[in-house]
Amino acid sequence: MDQLSNQELADKMVNNFVNNFIETFGVKPRVIYKIDTSVPTLNEIFDCVNEQYQLIYPDKSICDRGKGDLAVKYRAIYYSVARHFSYTLMSMGKLTNTNYSTVIHGLKQVSKNSPMKAKIIEILKNKKA
């Protein structure tokens, strides 16, 4: 099967939508879309934060449960980095199996000028460049 680029796949999906819309309603919709490949996915953000955490604890993950553990701080950094890239609270919590109120609490724990947050954002930006 031929592999399509993200842009080609998006174009194909939009064209199918427009054609179905015209058939159903008799008018052509105005469709505006853009694929922003400079924004890392939540999985990429999670993996980057987890890699930094595993430099300290090689056999652990930021999903490991434990109060007062460093994993809690790194989960909060993950939430903060993901929020920097405008992800929603619910989508952030899905990877760590937490709800939006836990995500909000985690966001409050990370300062705006956190060195670890800045380091991870820089790593992610360099990977996309």
Side-chain angles (χ1 to χ4, degrees), residues 18-75:
V18 169
N19 291 336
N20 289 337
F21 195 92
I22 291 170
E23 286 177 20
T24 304
F25 300 105
V27 294
K28 184 176 180 181
R30 178 178 291 171
V31 180
I32 301 170
Y33 71 99
K34 176 184 170 190
I35 296 178
D36 190 356
T37 57
S38 66
V39 176
T41 66
L42 278 173
N43 286 330
E44 290 171 335
I45 296 169
F46 180 86
D47 291 343
C48 186
V49 174
N50 205 39
E51 285 171 10
Q52 295 299 312
Y53 178 68
Q54 288 176 340
L55 292 175
I56 301 167
Y57 295 110
D59 297 332
K60 295 197 174 200
S61 168
I62 62 171
C63 284
D64 295 344
R65 297 289 174 229
K67 302 285 185 197
D69 188 15
L70 195 58
V72 174
K73 293 176 183 170
Y74 273 80
R75 271 197 305 273

Side-chain angles (χ1 to χ4, degrees), residues 50-113:
N50 205 39
E51 285 171 10
Q52 295 299 312
Y53 178 68
Q54 288 176 340
L55 292 175
I56 301 167
Y57 295 110
D59 297 332
K60 295 197 174 200
S61 168
I62 62 171
C63 284
D64 295 344
R65 297 289 174 229
K67 302 285 185 197
D69 188 15
L70 195 58
V72 174
K73 293 176 183 170
Y74 273 80
R75 271 197 305 273
I77 290 171
Y78 156 71
Y79 300 143
S80 186
V81 172
R83 194 58 163 178
H84 172 82
F85 290 106
S86 302
Y87 284 100
T88 64
L89 301 174
M90 294 295 288
S91 63
M92 288 184 254
K94 284 185 181 180
L95 278 177
T96 56
N97 198 24
T98 55
N99 62 27
Y100 73 94
S101 61
T102 305
V103 174
I104 290 171
H105 178 72
L107 287 169
K108 291 178 181 177
Q109 305 308 308
V110 179
S111 68
K112 291 184 192 258
N113 53 359

Side-chain angles (χ1 to χ4, degrees), residues 38 40 84-85 120-129:
S38 66
H84 172 82
F85 290 106
I120 291 170
I121 290 170
E122 191 62 33
I123 290 169
L124 290 166
K125 285 183 179 178
N126 288 336
K127 282 184 180 179
K128 288 292 184 176

